[in-house]
């Protein structure tokens, strides 16, 4: 297992340029929404107040106060956020195809090969991503929302913790199947979405304990990194550069998140035996 994880890490390190490229494109997409919104917020509150409050932590009380004038930019923020999320969803499907193709070789990939493969696999990867999100949403309703609503009156928070634990296990399985399905698509280049999912389940089942353990380990690392970032956001930043630190750490977190995801792709490619040996 650890050999596959090491191989995946080595392959992902060779993709650092494309990790940075994905981060830049995503950051530019978000900035199209963030900066006009930031300008509106500054107009309402004044830049000095916002900066001062960021130094003491995230100003949730101000943001939630519609009387401060945020109701005027609320509709723009919601529609803009949804649009940004949709664009990032498309970008994710596009770049994932390039990532899987790059880690398959384990070598540095030129821009022509990366973007060519990203375009080639975009439609199928978009379908896999859409199917994954739909299944995860359905499982969230089935395993978390419904049991919590039914059992909260008798079991309290215990039922919520149990439901989240069961959902986490199911989500790890779904993500693993999705990753192996993508690997199958890149491997033969001919499999349709449904066919790739079937092959992905079969590939995951072969050596199941090793496969799922490797993926879960990397997912745990992803969750821990996200947890540390959340702590940084909610914890007061006692510095006059609080706003800048929040901005910088946020972008650093996004780069690390994309890199760990690429690491997972490389590990899955190694586990599924679809990595091209380097001669």
């Amino acid at each position: 297992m650890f050999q596959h994880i090491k191989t995946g890490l080595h392959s992902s390190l060779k993709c650092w340029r494309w990790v940075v490229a994905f981060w830049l494109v995503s950051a530019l997409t978000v900035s199209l929404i963030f900066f006009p919104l930031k300008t509106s917020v500054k107009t309402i509150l004044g830049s000095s107040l916002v900066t001062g409050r960021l130094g003491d932590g995230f100003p949730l009380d101000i943001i939630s106060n519609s009387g401060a004038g945020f109701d005027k930019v609320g509709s723009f923020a919601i529609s803009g956020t949804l649009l940004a999320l949709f664009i990032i969803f498309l970008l994710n499907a596009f770049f994932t195809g390039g990532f899987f193709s790059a880690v398959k070789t384990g070598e540095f990939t030129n821009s022509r090969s990366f973007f060519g493969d990203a375009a080639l696999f975009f439609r199928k990867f978009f379908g896999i991503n859409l199917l994954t999100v739909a299944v995860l949403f359905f499982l969230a309703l089935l395993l978390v929302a419904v049991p919590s609503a039914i059992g909260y009156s008798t079991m309290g928070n215990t039922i919520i913790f149990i439901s989240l634990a069961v959902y986490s296990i199911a989500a790890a399985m779904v993500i693993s199947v999705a990753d192996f399905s993508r690997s199958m698509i890149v491997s033969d280049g001919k499999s349709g979405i449904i066919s790739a999912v079937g092959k992905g389940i079969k590939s995951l089942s072969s050596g199941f304990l090793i496969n799922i353990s490797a993926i879960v380990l990397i997912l745990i690392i992803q969750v821990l990194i996200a947890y540390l970032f959340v702590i940084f956001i909610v914890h007061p930043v006692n510095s006059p550069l609080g706003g800048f630190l929040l901005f910088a750490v946020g972008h650093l977190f996004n780069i690390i998140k994309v890199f760990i995801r690429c690491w997972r792709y490389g590990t899955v490619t190694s586990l599924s035996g679809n990595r091209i040996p380097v001669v």
Side-chain angles (χ1 to χ4, degrees), residues 1-46:
M1 179 185 78
F2 291 105
Q3 182 59 41
H4 291 295
I5 293 176
K6 181 180 178 181
T7 301
L9 178 60
H10 180 267
S11 299
S12 62
L13 288 173
K14 297 294 183 66
C15 298
W16 68 268
R17 291 181 300 173
W18 310 121
V19 170
V20 173
F22 180 77
W23 161 70
L24 283 174
V25 175
S26 300
L28 288 174
T29 301
V30 173
S31 68
L32 295 176
I33 307 301
F34 173 77
F35 285 111
L37 184 62
K38 181 180 179 181
T39 301
S40 300
V41 171
K42 282 186 176 182
T43 301
I44 297 172
L45 293 179

Coordinates of all heavy atoms in Angstrom, one line a residue, residues 1-46:
M1 N 0.8 -1.2 0.0 CA 0.0 0.0 0.0 C 0.9 1.3 0.0 O 0.6 2.2 -0.8 CB -0.9 0.0 1.2 CG -1.8 1.2 1.3 SD -2.8 1.3 2.9 CE -1.5 1.9 4.0
F2 N 1.8 1.3 0.9 CA 2.7 2.5 1.0 C 3.5 2.7 -0.2 O 3.9 3.9 -0.6 CB 3.5 2.4 2.3 CG 2.8 2.5 3.5 CD1 2.5 1.3 4.3 CD2 2.2 3.7 4.0 CE1 1.8 1.4 5.5 CE2 1.5 3.8 5.1 CZ 1.3 2.6 5.9
Q3 N 3.9 1.6 -0.9 CA 4.6 1.8 -2.2 C 3.7 2.5 -3.2 O 4.2 3.4 -4.0 CB 5.0 0.4 -2.7 CG 5.9 0.5 -4.0 CD 7.1 1.3 -3.8 OE1 7.8 1.2 -2.8 NE2 7.5 2.1 -4.8
H4 N 2.5 2.2 -3.3 CA 1.6 2.8 -4.2 C 1.4 4.3 -3.9 O 1.3 5.2 -4.7 CB 0.2 2.1 -4.2 CG 0.2 0.7 -4.8 ND1 0.5 0.5 -6.2 CD2 0.0 -0.5 -4.3 CE1 0.5 -0.8 -6.4 NE2 0.2 -1.4 -5.3
I5 N 1.3 4.6 -2.6 CA 1.1 5.9 -2.1 C 2.4 6.7 -2.4 O 2.3 7.9 -2.9 CB 0.9 6.0 -0.6 CG1 -0.5 5.4 -0.3 CG2 1.0 7.4 0.0 CD1 -0.8 5.3 1.2
K6 N 3.6 6.1 -2.3 CA 4.8 6.8 -2.6 C 4.9 7.0 -4.1 O 5.3 8.1 -4.5 CB 6.0 5.9 -2.2 CG 7.4 6.5 -2.5 CD 8.5 5.5 -2.0 CE 9.8 6.1 -2.4 NZ 10.9 5.2 -1.9
T7 N 4.5 6.1 -4.9 CA 4.5 6.2 -6.4 C 3.5 7.4 -6.8 O 3.8 8.2 -7.6 CB 4.0 4.9 -7.1 OG1 4.9 3.9 -6.7 CG2 4.0 5.1 -8.6
G8 N 2.3 7.4 -6.1 CA 1.4 8.5 -6.4 C 1.9 9.8 -6.1 O 1.7 10.8 -6.8
L9 N 2.7 9.9 -4.9 CA 3.3 11.2 -4.5 C 4.3 11.6 -5.5 O 4.4 12.8 -5.9 CB 3.9 11.0 -3.1 CG 4.6 12.2 -2.5 CD1 3.6 13.4 -2.4 CD2 5.3 11.9 -1.2
H10 N 5.1 10.7 -5.9 CA 6.2 11.0 -6.9 C 5.6 11.5 -8.2 O 6.0 12.5 -8.8 CB 7.0 9.8 -7.2 CG 8.1 10.0 -8.2 ND1 7.9 9.7 -9.6 CD2 9.4 10.5 -8.1 CE1 9.1 10.0 -10.2 NE2 10.0 10.5 -9.3
S11 N 4.5 10.9 -8.7 CA 3.8 11.3 -9.9 C 3.2 12.7 -9.8 O 3.2 13.5 -10.7 CB 2.7 10.3 -10.3 OG 3.3 9.0 -10.5
S12 N 2.6 12.9 -8.6 CA 1.9 14.2 -8.4 C 2.9 15.4 -8.3 O 2.6 16.5 -8.7 CB 1.1 14.2 -7.1 OG 1.9 13.9 -6.0
L13 N 4.1 15.1 -7.8 CA 5.1 16.1 -7.7 C 5.5 16.6 -9.1 O 5.9 17.8 -9.3 CB 6.4 15.6 -7.0 CG 6.2 15.5 -5.5 CD1 7.4 14.8 -4.9 CD2 6.0 16.8 -4.8
K14 N 5.5 15.7 -10.1 CA 5.8 16.0 -11.5 C 4.7 16.9 -12.1 O 4.9 17.4 -13.2 CB 6.0 14.8 -12.3 CG 7.1 13.9 -11.9 CD 8.5 14.6 -12.1 CE 9.6 13.7 -11.7 NZ 9.8 12.5 -12.5
C15 N 3.5 17.0 -11.4 CA 2.4 17.8 -12.0 C 2.3 19.2 -11.3 O 1.2 19.8 -11.4 CB 1.1 17.0 -11.8 SG 1.0 15.4 -12.6
W16 N 3.3 19.6 -10.6 CA 3.2 20.9 -9.9 C 2.8 22.1 -10.7 O 2.1 22.9 -10.3 CB 4.5 21.2 -9.2 CG 5.7 21.5 -10.0 CD1 6.6 20.7 -10.6 CD2 6.0 22.8 -10.5 NE1 7.5 21.3 -11.4 CE2 7.2 22.7 -11.3 CE3 5.5 24.1 -10.3 CZ2 7.8 23.8 -12.0 CZ3 6.1 25.2 -11.0 CH2 7.2 25.0 -11.8
R17 N 3.3 22.1 -12.0 CA 2.9 23.2 -12.9 C 1.4 23.3 -13.1 O 0.8 24.3 -13.1 CB 3.6 23.1 -14.2 CG 5.1 23.3 -14.1 CD 5.7 23.2 -15.5 NE 5.5 21.9 -16.1 CZ 5.8 21.6 -17.4 NH1 6.4 22.5 -18.2 NH2 5.6 20.4 -17.8
W18 N 0.8 22.1 -13.3 CA -0.6 22.0 -13.6 C -1.5 22.2 -12.3 O -2.6 22.7 -12.4 CB -1.0 20.7 -14.2 CG 0.0 20.4 -15.4 CD1 0.8 19.4 -15.5 CD2 0.2 21.3 -16.5 NE1 1.5 19.5 -16.7 CE2 1.2 20.7 -17.3 CE3 -0.3 22.5 -16.9 CZ2 1.6 21.3 -18.5 CZ3 0.1 23.1 -18.1 CH2 1.1 22.5 -18.9
V19 N -0.9 21.9 -11.2 CA -1.6 22.2 -9.9 C -1.7 23.7 -9.7 O -2.7 24.3 -9.4 CB -0.8 21.6 -8.7 CG1 -1.4 22.1 -7.4 CG2 -0.9 20.1 -8.7
V20 N -0.5 24.4 -10.0 CA -0.5 25.9 -9.9 C -1.4 26.5 -11.0 O -2.1 27.5 -10.7 CB 1.0 26.4 -10.1 CG1 1.0 27.9 -10.2 CG2 1.8 25.9 -8.9
A21 N -1.4 25.9 -12.2 CA -2.3 26.4 -13.2 C -3.8 26.3 -12.8 O -4.5 27.3 -13.1 CB -2.1 25.6 -14.5
F22 N -4.2 25.2 -12.3 CA -5.6 25.0 -11.8 C -5.9 26.1 -10.7 O -7.0 26.6 -10.7 CB -5.8 23.6 -11.3 CG -7.2 23.4 -10.8 CD1 -8.2 23.2 -11.7 CD2 -7.5 23.3 -9.5 CE1 -9.5 22.9 -11.3 CE2 -8.8 23.1 -9.0 CZ -9.8 22.9 -10.0
W23 N -5.0 26.3 -9.8 CA -5.2 27.2 -8.7 C -5.3 28.7 -9.3 O -6.2 29.4 -8.9 CB -4.0 27.2 -7.8 CG -3.9 28.5 -6.9 CD1 -4.8 28.8 -5.9 CD2 -2.9 29.5 -7.1 NE1 -4.4 30.1 -5.4 CE2 -3.3 30.5 -6.1 CE3 -1.8 29.7 -7.9 CZ2 -2.5 31.6 -5.9 CZ3 -1.1 30.9 -7.7 CH2 -1.4 31.8 -6.8
L24 N -4.5 29.0 -10.3 CA -4.6 30.3 -10.9 C -5.9 30.6 -11.6 O -6.6 31.6 -11.4 CB -3.4 30.6 -11.9 CG -2.1 30.8 -11.3 CD1 -1.0 30.9 -12.4 CD2 -2.1 32.2 -10.5
V25 N -6.3 29.6 -12.4 CA -7.6 29.7 -13.1 C -8.8 29.8 -12.1 O -9.7 30.6 -12.3 CB -7.8 28.6 -14.1 CG1 -9.2 28.6 -14.8 CG2 -6.7 28.6 -15.1
S26 N -8.7 29.0 -11.1 CA -9.8 29.0 -10.1 C -9.8 30.3 -9.3 O -10.9 30.9 -9.1 CB -9.6 27.8 -9.1 OG -9.7 26.6 -9.7
A27 N -8.6 30.8 -9.0 CA -8.5 32.1 -8.2 C -9.1 33.2 -9.1 O -9.8 34.1 -8.6 CB -7.1 32.3 -7.8
L28 N -8.8 33.2 -10.4 CA -9.3 34.3 -11.3 C -10.8 34.2 -11.4 O -11.5 35.3 -11.4 CB -8.6 34.1 -12.7 CG -7.2 34.5 -12.8 CD1 -6.6 34.2 -14.2 CD2 -7.0 36.0 -12.5
T29 N -11.3 33.0 -11.4 CA -12.8 32.8 -11.5 C -13.4 33.4 -10.2 O -14.4 34.1 -10.3 CB -13.1 31.3 -11.6 OG1 -12.5 30.8 -12.8 CG2 -14.6 31.2 -11.7
V30 N -12.9 33.1 -9.1 CA -13.5 33.5 -7.8 C -13.3 35.1 -7.7 O -14.2 35.8 -7.2 CB -12.8 32.9 -6.6 CG1 -13.3 33.5 -5.3 CG2 -13.1 31.4 -6.6
S31 N -12.2 35.6 -8.2 CA -11.9 37.0 -8.1 C -13.0 37.8 -8.9 O -13.3 39.0 -8.6 CB -10.5 37.4 -8.6 OG -10.4 37.2 -10.0
L32 N -13.5 37.3 -10.0 CA -14.5 37.9 -10.8 C -15.8 38.2 -9.9 O -16.5 39.2 -10.2 CB -14.9 37.1 -12.0 CG -13.9 36.9 -13.0 CD1 -14.4 35.9 -14.1 CD2 -13.4 38.2 -13.6
I33 N -16.0 37.4 -8.9 CA -17.1 37.6 -8.0 C -16.7 38.4 -6.7 O -17.4 39.2 -6.3 CB -17.7 36.2 -7.6 CG1 -18.1 35.4 -8.8 CG2 -18.9 36.4 -6.7 CD1 -19.0 36.1 -9.8
F34 N -15.5 38.0 -6.2 CA -15.1 38.5 -4.9 C -14.8 40.0 -4.9 O -15.2 40.8 -4.1 CB -13.8 37.8 -4.5 CG -13.2 38.4 -3.2 CD1 -13.7 38.1 -2.0 CD2 -12.0 39.1 -3.3 CE1 -13.2 38.6 -0.8 CE2 -11.5 39.7 -2.2 CZ -12.0 39.4 -0.9
F35 N -14.0 40.5 -5.9 CA -13.6 41.9 -5.9 C -14.8 42.9 -6.1 O -14.8 43.9 -5.4 CB -12.5 42.1 -7.0 CG -11.2 41.6 -6.6 CD1 -10.6 40.5 -7.2 CD2 -10.5 42.2 -5.5 CE1 -9.4 40.0 -6.8 CE2 -9.3 41.7 -5.1 CZ -8.7 40.6 -5.7
P36 N -15.8 42.6 -7.0 CA -16.9 43.5 -7.0 C -17.7 43.5 -5.7 O -18.2 44.5 -5.3 CB -17.8 43.0 -8.2 CG -16.8 42.3 -9.1 CD -15.8 41.7 -8.1
L37 N -17.8 42.3 -5.1 CA -18.5 42.2 -3.8 C -17.7 42.9 -2.7 O -18.3 43.6 -1.9 CB -18.7 40.7 -3.5 CG -19.4 40.4 -2.2 CD1 -20.9 40.9 -2.3 CD2 -19.4 38.9 -1.9
K38 N -16.4 42.8 -2.8 CA -15.6 43.5 -1.8 C -15.7 45.0 -1.9 O -15.8 45.7 -0.9 CB -14.1 43.1 -2.0 CG -13.2 43.7 -1.0 CD -11.7 43.3 -1.2 CE -10.8 43.9 -0.2 NZ -9.4 43.5 -0.5
T39 N -15.8 45.5 -3.1 CA -16.0 46.9 -3.4 C -17.3 47.4 -2.8 O -17.4 48.4 -2.1 CB -15.9 47.2 -4.9 OG1 -14.7 46.8 -5.4 CG2 -16.1 48.7 -5.1
S40 N -18.3 46.6 -3.0 CA -19.7 46.9 -2.4 C -19.6 47.0 -0.9 O -20.2 47.8 -0.2 CB -20.7 45.9 -2.9 OG -20.8 45.9 -4.3
V41 N -18.9 46.0 -0.3 CA -18.8 45.9 1.2 C -18.1 47.1 1.7 O -18.5 47.7 2.7 CB -18.1 44.6 1.6 CG1 -17.8 44.6 3.1 CG2 -19.0 43.4 1.3
K42 N -17.0 47.5 1.0 CA -16.2 48.6 1.5 C -17.0 49.9 1.4 O -16.9 50.8 2.2 CB -14.9 48.8 0.6 CG -13.8 47.8 1.0 CD -12.6 48.1 0.2 CE -11.4 47.2 0.7 NZ -10.2 47.5 0.0
T43 N -17.9 50.0 0.4 CA -18.7 51.2 0.2 C -19.7 51.3 1.4 O -20.0 52.4 1.9 CB -19.5 51.1 -1.1 OG1 -18.6 51.0 -2.2 CG2 -20.4 52.3 -1.3
I44 N -20.1 50.1 1.9 CA -21.1 50.2 3.0 C -20.4 50.4 4.3 O -20.9 51.2 5.1 CB -21.9 48.8 3.0 CG1 -22.7 48.6 1.7 CG2 -22.8 48.7 4.2 CD1 -23.3 47.3 1.6
L45 N -19.3 49.7 4.6 CA -18.7 49.7 5.9 C -17.5 50.6 6.0 O -17.2 51.2 7.0 CB -18.3 48.3 6.3 CG -19.4 47.3 6.6 CD1 -18.8 46.0 7.0 CD2 -20.3 47.9 7.7
G46 N -16.8 50.7 4.9 CA -15.5 51.4 4.9 C -14.4 50.4 5.1 O -14.4 49.5 5.9

